[in-house]
Amino acid sequence: MAGNEKEVLMKADHVKVYFKGKNKKSGTVKAVDDVSFEILKGETFGVVGESGCGKSTLGRTLIRLLDATEGSIYFHGQDISSLKGNDLKEMRKKAQIIFQDPSACLNPRRNLKQILMEPFEIHNLKGKVDVEARIHELLTLVGLDDYHLSRYPHELSGGQKQRVGIARALALEPEIIICDEAVSALDVSVQAQVLNLLQELKEKLGLTYFFISHNLNVVYQVSDRVGVMYLGNMVEIASYDKLYEKRYHPYTEALLSAIPQVDQNAQGERIRLEGEVPNPSNPPSGCRFHTRCPKACDRCMAERPVLKEIAEGHFVACHLYDRED
Ligand code: SF4
């Protein structure tokens, strides 16, 4: 991306992630379909879109929990798409994930100490680092105490469990963390605490986040730049400020119109999208949004728009803004 002075930490280059359907009738699900973008070191890149738009699949593919069907992923300029064995294991130390439902990823039969030991066991680091001291440090970082170490997941609140999930993600000193709907399962008051914690940790540890949420309000609170996804495609990318000031894609406009404004005079008319998100195994031709777009024309049905920079640092995939280069 032109004009960015910050280092590019991660880059997705024409990434596609397809899944074969269970039977012939269900076809191939194109969960992520030709997505390219960069994540800058130290930023929070927020990704928003309706359920099923491919944002979680994309996040998992970035850190190789899923393999891309086509395209490449670069981390510090190195293509990590085909890393295997020890090289892949080393890369994974630097790229971690926090899941939506902490209960589902914490082993109910292990206490907190055992859970926080896991990353060190998986990477054969016991004996090489002072694990006890590191666990104490992790607990302090996420606002838990040593007495929590003997507790089991069912003895913790939702917010505490998510703090454990964050501590585990931090164990191996990662550079980037995929936050996959990391606060969606929490009560609103706890959400705010966890978001504040993530922000503090980012500043203290120099982290980079890829922050996935269906909730644009939450993405707006934490992101430096925002990517909007629709049905496997990235349709708009811009900084928080630019997107707030002017959004170009009709889908982003509709998403933003649903956010309540503090200043009632600034509240525009809510744009209600007709219809459901189409099935990703049988996506619409041309622009995938054309079946719900209030501004669609004939060209939109036939030709897929490409993500282009239409203002400095502002990328949009929509024929309304096509221009001769
Ligand atoms: Fe709407 Fe056409 Fe733009 Fe797609 S390309 S968002 S259908 S105007």
Side-chain angles (χ1 to χ4, degrees):
M1 291 181 187
N4 285 320
E5 287 165 15
K6 279 191 171 178
E7 181 191 338
V8 174
L9 183 64
M10 197 166 245
K11 178 178 168 179
D13 188 22
H14 297 287
V15 170
K16 298 181 182 179
V17 189
Y18 293 174
F19 299 109
K20 289 239 178 314
K22 286 187 185 130
N23 52 50
K24 277 187 185 167
K25 272 189 188 165
S26 47
T28 299
V29 177
K30 297 179 176 177
V32 175
D33 199 13
D34 204 354
V35 165
S36 299
F37 64 98
E38 293 170 341
I39 303 172
L40 306 177
K41 191 170 170 54
E43 77 170 340
T44 297
F45 187 102
V47 181
V48 71
E50 287 160 290
S51 174
C53 70
K55 52 193 187 306
S56 290
T57 302
L58 177 60
R60 283 158 207 231
T61 307
L62 288 178
I63 57 168
R64 292 285 317 279
L65 289 181
L66 291 170
D67 284 332
T69 311
E70 271 183 45
S72 300
I73 295 153
Y74 297 88
F75 184 52
H76 282 297
Q78 182 196 6
D79 188 350
I80 58 165
S81 324
S82 52
L83 287 185
K84 289 192 173 64
N86 277 343
D87 291 340
L88 180 59
K89 220 170 162 187
E90 279 305 306
M91 186 282 291
R92 285 207 176 123
K93 282 188 196 167
K94 300 288 167 205
Q96 294 285 323
I97 187 165
I98 303 167
F99 294 101
Q100 173 177 0
D101 181 2
S103 308
C105 54
L106 302 180
N107 187 334
R109 285 185 289 277
R110 304 195 99 187
N111 66 25
L112 223 77
K113 186 171 184 182
Q114 293 166 323
I115 287 170
L116 291 176
M117 285 269 188
E118 283 167 5
F120 303 99
E121 289 165 354
I122 292 167
H123 288 271
N124 298 322
L125 291 170
K126 281 174 86 178
K128 294 181 192 158
V129 292
D130 186 344
V131 177
E132 298 273 339
R134 182 76 186 125
I135 287 178
H136 172 75
E137 196 183 339
L138 289 168
L139 283 180
T140 309
L141 275 173
V142 300
L144 294 173
D145 289 303
D146 283 346
Y147 69 81
H148 287 112
L149 286 175
S150 58
R151 303 269 167 91
Y152 286 80
H154 74 271
E155 297 175 286
L156 302 173
S157 68
Q160 287 173 328
K161 277 187 241 181
Q162 195 52 296
R163 285 171 193 266
V164 178
I166 294 169
R168 197 168 60 173
L170 292 174
L172 303 174
E173 301 183 56
E175 290 181 50
I176 183 166
I177 299 183
I178 310 296
C179 304
D180 188 2
E181 300 278 9
V183 297
S184 303
L186 304 174
D187 292 342
V188 176
S189 60
V190 184
Q191 262 189 20
Q193 292 168 14
V194 174
L195 287 175
N196 287 340
L197 172 66
L198 286 170
Q199 192 58 31
E200 278 171 35
L201 292 170
K202 182 187 160 197
E203 281 158 25
K204 199 180 278 180
L205 306 174
L207 295 166
T208 302
Y209 292 143
F210 186 74
F211 192 94
I212 299 164
S213 179
H214 65 282
N215 186 334
L216 189 52
N217 226 346
V218 170
V219 166
Y220 249 21
Q221 281 179 50
V222 298
S223 303
D224 299 299
R225 289 192 304 144
V226 178
V228 181
M229 278 190 83
Y230 184 78
L231 208 60
N233 296 157
M234 196 69 85
V235 298
E236 187 157 5
I237 299 175
S239 66
Y240 164 90
D241 296 338
K242 283 185 174 146
L243 209 58
Y244 199 79
E245 197 180 293
K246 172 107 181 106
R247 44 270 177 188
Y248 291 90
H249 199 283
Y251 179 60
T252 316
E253 259 187 277
L255 281 185
L256 271 154
S257 74
I259 297 185
Q261 302 290 323
V262 179
D263 175 2
Q264 285 297 308
N265 296 326
Q267 184 81 51
E269 194 182 330
R270 176 155 187 193
I271 303 166
R272 291 187 190 279
L273 293 175
E274 302 291 330
E276 298 294 319
V277 181
N279 186 339
S281 64
N282 186 22
S285 60
C287 173
R288 290 187 167 184
F289 187 54
H290 86 251
T291 52
R292 301 170 80 199
C293 180
K295 297 179 180 170
C297 62
D298 288 350
R299 184 182 174 200
C300 304
M301 291 175 221
E303 198 183 320
R304 181 173 161 180
V306 176
L307 193 73
K308 283 186 183 169
E309 189 171 18
I310 61 163
E312 198 190 338
H314 201 140
F315 296 77
V316 183
C318 174
H319 293 312
L320 292 175
Y321 308 102
D322 275 357
R323 50 150 210 245
E324 295 300 317
D325 288 320

